[in-house]
Amino acid sequence: MALVLRFVDKDGLIQERFFDMRCVTSTTSLSLKEAVCDILSRHNLDVSNLRGQGYDGASNIRGEWNGLQALFMKDCPYAYYIHCFAHRLQLALVTASREVKPIHKFFEKLTFIVNAVCSSPKRHDESQAAQLKENEYLLEIEEIVPGKGANQIGTVKRATDTRWGSHFSSICSLIRMYEATCFVLKKIAKEATNYSTSGNADSAYNYLKSFDFIFILHLMKEIMGITDVLCQALQLQAQDVVNAMFLVRNTKTLIQQLREDGWDKLLANVRYFCVRHAIEIPDLDDLHSTTRFGRSRLEENQVTIEHYFRVEIFFTTIDKQLQELNSRFSEEAMDLLTLSCALTPKDSYKAFDVDTICTLVDKYYPMDFNDQEKIHLCYQLEQFIVDARKEPCLKNLSTIQELCSCLVATERNKIYFLIDRLLRLIMTLPVSTATTERSFSAMKIIKTRLRNKMGSGFLNDTMTVYIEREISASISSESVIDDFKLVGSRNDLF
């Protein structure tokens, strides 16, 4: 478990520093909390001074009720949890949807189909030739129109677990190249000399031509199309927190609308696709069976095919998406970030609002400002906004960090000390941090198979020197030698 501290230094700059790495034998939330508290206490850091916490996607850490997040909130109610914007949200949403068994099966088959079609240059050429032939036919019947850059020949994209939006791109490419993919799989099933390859290709072809696959294919396209805009926005290096929060709310609203009003449209699109590609459409009023041989479910729990697709797949998958979004972006965190944007100096302090900032302090930082300071803060804000819009050094700023640094540089942090304190509290919120992920990547470089017996203490020290190169570069060899000499002399005294 890697621990990274996010703080504001004396110059008003945000710092993220790798602090420690602990090998935890138990991954329960309580054990993880004890490990973090032990690390902090050894360096005389009080847990009550925490003002923000952020984790990766592990449920035992970020759980709202029983996770590490909740345990720290009990001891320190002002250590607000903010979802790490750098975490791959699209992959987390895919993982959430795969908790529905038919969706998990769909992605497994999707991966196999793409790998089979793109496994060799020969298959790639066959796929493109089939796509070219299909485009010529569609142009002949005037279903598509010619034009510059239109109807280009492409390839089916792989869905990888390390890239943003790759699953969405893979689904869209398969829909676009559906006939070409069917042609290649059918050819592999007939011509493959290996019985395993032939059988797998035949199985994939039959699944590709099933109503189940087509329905989930279009369902995931709709869901991931809605969430893709948010996922792409969150990976930007320069975060616009206000617009990001609007996107989160809009995404939740659109997914909820899809749940309430999207069934008929989705079913119509699936039927049109099935008719176009000669796929058998089942009678939705028939009873759903657990196998293709017609063996129905238990007599008391028989459901129709429409109920199965609508309730057990459509509703359940969308509910998983909403649950994941609500877990990562709680209303409290969204409200906190939205209110904090009132301090943004962009566009000559256009968003700066005294009442909103005072509400932020009253609601989220009541222990960091006493009653008298809250009164003084209101007047400091009024004085500051007049000063900021006149002074050139304060006028052309765009981020909260630039504002905090400017106050320090001009020594106005001594005048507007309450504003400076509030800025530092807001800046500690972990909005977009990837330092922890880089720490784990560094561990793979340092602790290799040849050095797998490296102790935890030595590993942690080595990683600190490797990751925090800026600090280690400022330490001269002579000072290290002098320190070792002092250690020797102290031992002699004892």
Side-chain angles (χ1 to χ4, degrees), residues 485-494:
K485 288 181 178 180
L486 290 174
V487 172
S489 61
R490 291 196 196 101
N491 291 336
D492 292 339
L493 290 175
F494 285 118

Side-chain angles (χ1 to χ4, degrees), residues 393-412:
C393 60
L394 292 170
K395 196 173 182 181
N396 299 318
L397 304 176
S398 59
T399 65
I400 293 178
Q401 176 175 304
E402 291 178 0
L403 175 58
C404 187
S405 301
C406 187
L407 290 179
V408 174
T410 58
E411 296 188 352
R412 281 181 169 83

